[in-house]
Amino acid sequence: MQRTALVTGITGQDGSYLAEVLLEQGYRVVGMSRRSSTITNERIAHLAGKIELVQGDLLDQASLVEALKETRPAEVYNLAAQSFVPTSWNQPVLTGEFTALGVTRILEAIRQVDPTIRFYQASSSEMFGKVTESPQHEGTAFHPRSPYGVAKVYGHLLTVNYRESYDLYAASGICFNHESPRRGLEFVTRKVTDGAVRVKLGLAKDLRLGNLDAQRDWGFAGDYVRAMWLMLQQDQPGDYVIATGQAHSVRELCEVAFGRLGLDYRDHVTVDPALIRPAEVDHLLGDATRARTELGWEPKVGFEQLVTMMVDADLARLGGGRRADDPVLASSMYSRAP
Ligand code: NDP
Ligand code: GDR
């Protein structure tokens, strides 16, 4: 019988890639999205007719119960969250409601409707925050540095608790940063690839960033959603770090992105003190040994390939389908390089 998967946060970056993997695996895919006055389905437009949508909001318990009753999933992937770290300082209570208590609401809905549902929680490397060891693994202590990180620790520990209290199949992926051409424009990778292309095309003069020395273990979202699916196919539920094991700085990210376009980032990037965070996570590096050995998971896309893919996609979007190696781009009409 065809299995049904319900994905919260289907309109987000990961939701769109996960839906593709689940369709490949033969699932009936139902995405949960919240009502909005504008359509936010851009990332799943190409899946129209292949997936179903159900309305629901992590703030509204009844809507979650209804979504489960209506769709009867075998697996639930909880990807919905307020996921932008800086917003969590401006809207700490709302972040807690979505990102922390939202997990309680959905786990309670599962308990009420069908406790045999397998549950995936999108946990985060931001839980490690001010790291106590490097690289970070499943047993590394948490020291979150933002209301977002704190909310994710709550969601993570609640998932563990419901597994232990009620014997639910509840698994958690402690995912390090993962990016793609579908990444939101406010996150640093996409801000840099989009910004570099805008400078190249003469659409912007410069790019303002915050801390250029922050380091992250950046992977490709398309690789990470495969790990999410694998986590729900095991005999026993568990928690898994998903990471590439390579860290790079925001500065290196700029070097590769601007370099792809024949530009020197130092000519175009300025540091804006307003973008420095109240408390920073300086360096994250993941050890995904457990995922490798137990799930057989490996990332396929490396850092340079990822950044190049994102620059090329932004160039195609903003530059009328041009590629970075297009000779027209090297002409003075497009190039702002000296
Ligand atoms: P996005 O910000 O791209 O997507 C978030 C999704 O959550 C959107 O679909 C959004 O819907 C939805 N959402 C937000 N609030 C609610 C709500 N109250 N009710 C229902 N849906 C809601 O995030 P990503 O795809 O990048 O990340 C997916 C998950 O993984 C998130 O939980 C994130 O915190 C976590 N994570 C992400 C990592 C990354 O590097 N990408 C790393 C580690 C964890 P709408 O379109 O309506 O805004
Ligand atoms: P992060 O991602 O906070 O790690 O959370 P983000 O891309 O926002 O920042 C990464 C690092 O880059 C530095 N930085 C900037 N960041 C942004 N957004 N904009 C800037 O201009 C800028 N300049 C420097 C930041 O200070 C930071 O150190 C992401 C989200 O997807 C979370 O939901 C997820 O849980 C974690 O990754 C793992």
Side-chain angles (χ1 to χ4, degrees), residues 11-14 34 57-58 79-81 83 148 152 175 178 183:
T11 55
Q13 169 189 258
D14 290 7
R34 53 184 171 163
D57 195 308
L58 286 183
L79 307 184
S83 74
Y148 168 84
K152 280 288 176 188
C175 289
H178 45 278
R183 186 61 142 150

Side-chain angles (χ1 to χ4, degrees), residues 204-319:
K205 283 202 181 67
D206 59 4
L207 177 64
R208 303 173 86 77
L209 294 174
N211 179 9
L212 300 185
D213 296 318
Q215 295 195 12
R216 289 291 182 277
D217 179 333
W218 278 296
F220 172 51
D223 285 339
Y224 285 45
V225 296
R226 278 190 292 112
M228 297 173 193
W229 175 73
L230 284 167
M231 279 178 227
L232 295 200
Q233 314 311 313
Q234 305 305 304
D235 291 338
Q236 296 297 327
D239 306 319
Y240 296 89
V241 161
I242 304 298
T244 69
Q246 303 284 325
H248 296 275
S249 64
V250 174
R251 198 181 298 282
E252 286 172 82
L253 163 68
C254 293
E255 242 168 60
V256 177
F258 281 82
R260 173 73 178 160
L261 298 162
L263 301 173
D264 184 335
Y265 82 94
R266 288 171 297 188
D267 298 331
H268 307 286
V269 169
T270 52
V271 172
D272 180 346
L275 295 170
I276 305 286
R277 299 178 178 187
E280 177 62 294
V281 172
D282 295 316
H283 178 95
L284 289 176
L285 178 66
D287 173 0
T289 304
R290 183 173 184 203
R292 207 166 45 242
T293 51
E294 292 183 20
L295 306 177
W297 178 83
E298 293 266 352
K300 291 184 183 151
V301 178
F303 176 69
E304 291 214 4
Q305 199 186 346
L306 171 67
V307 178
T308 302
M309 175 206 303
M310 292 174 68
V311 170
D312 289 359
D314 279 323
L315 191 53
R317 186 175 56 93
L318 293 168

Side-chain angles (χ1 to χ4, degrees), residues 9-15 32 34 40 43 56-59 78-83 98 122-125 148 152 175-179 183 187:
I10 189 84
T11 55
Q13 169 189 258
D14 290 7
M32 193 190 87
R34 53 184 171 163
T40 57
R43 294 188 180 102
D57 195 308
L58 286 183
L59 298 183
N78 184 36
L79 307 184
Q82 191 301 95
S83 74
F98 285 5
S123 290
S124 165
S125 51
Y148 168 84
K152 280 288 176 188
C175 289
F176 283 62
N177 301 52
H178 45 278
E179 318 293 318
R183 186 61 142 150
F187 297 93

Side-chain angles (χ1 to χ4, degrees), residues 125-145:
S125 51
E126 283 294 293
M127 301 189 305
F128 298 124
K130 191 171 180 184
V131 299
T132 53
E133 60 180 324
S134 200
Q136 297 85 51
H137 54 86
E138 292 80 4
T140 299
F142 298 143
H143 186 146
R145 297 274 280 169

